[in-house]
Amino acid sequence: MKKLEFLGIGGATNIELGGNACFLKEKNNLLIIDACESITERLVNKKAFNNINNIYIIITHTHFDHVAGLGVLIWY
């Protein structure tokens, strides 16, 4: 079974733990849950976009620490 990989769990108030975001990569599909401010850079560094044909994004709610990186993520 695949497991979610968390990119951060600190919310908006804990920079050391990073913003809220996690992902799951399965074959050529990428599932992203929430989009903290630094999500795109973190996913690029983990090579999460390599060999991906489909990207699915789930936003759990619209607090800033869950959506701040959505614009850059979509642009990328």
Side-chain angles (χ1 to χ4, degrees):
M1 176 190 323
K2 295 283 184 176
K3 294 183 180 181
L4 290 172
E5 184 171 341
F6 285 82
L7 298 171
I9 57 169
T13 58
N14 191 326
I15 295 171
E16 290 180 13
L17 293 178
N20 292 300
C22 60
F23 73 99
L24 176 70
K25 189 171 179 180
E26 175 73 26
K27 298 181 183 174
N28 64 343
N29 299 299
L30 179 63
L31 170 66
I32 300 168
I33 301 175
D34 287 330
C36 66
E37 189 172 352
S38 61
I39 188 170
T40 303
E41 179 182 8
R42 291 177 184 204
L43 289 170
V44 168
N45 289 341
K46 290 188 168 284
K47 301 183 184 343
F49 295 111
N50 291 3
N51 303 313
I52 291 298
N53 292 332
N54 304 299
I55 298 174
Y56 304 94
I57 302 171
I58 296 172
I59 301 297
T60 60
H61 60 283
T62 57
H63 287 167
F64 180 77
D65 55 319
H66 293 258
V67 299
L70 195 53
V72 173
L73 179 62
I74 291 170
W75 177 83
Y76 182 80

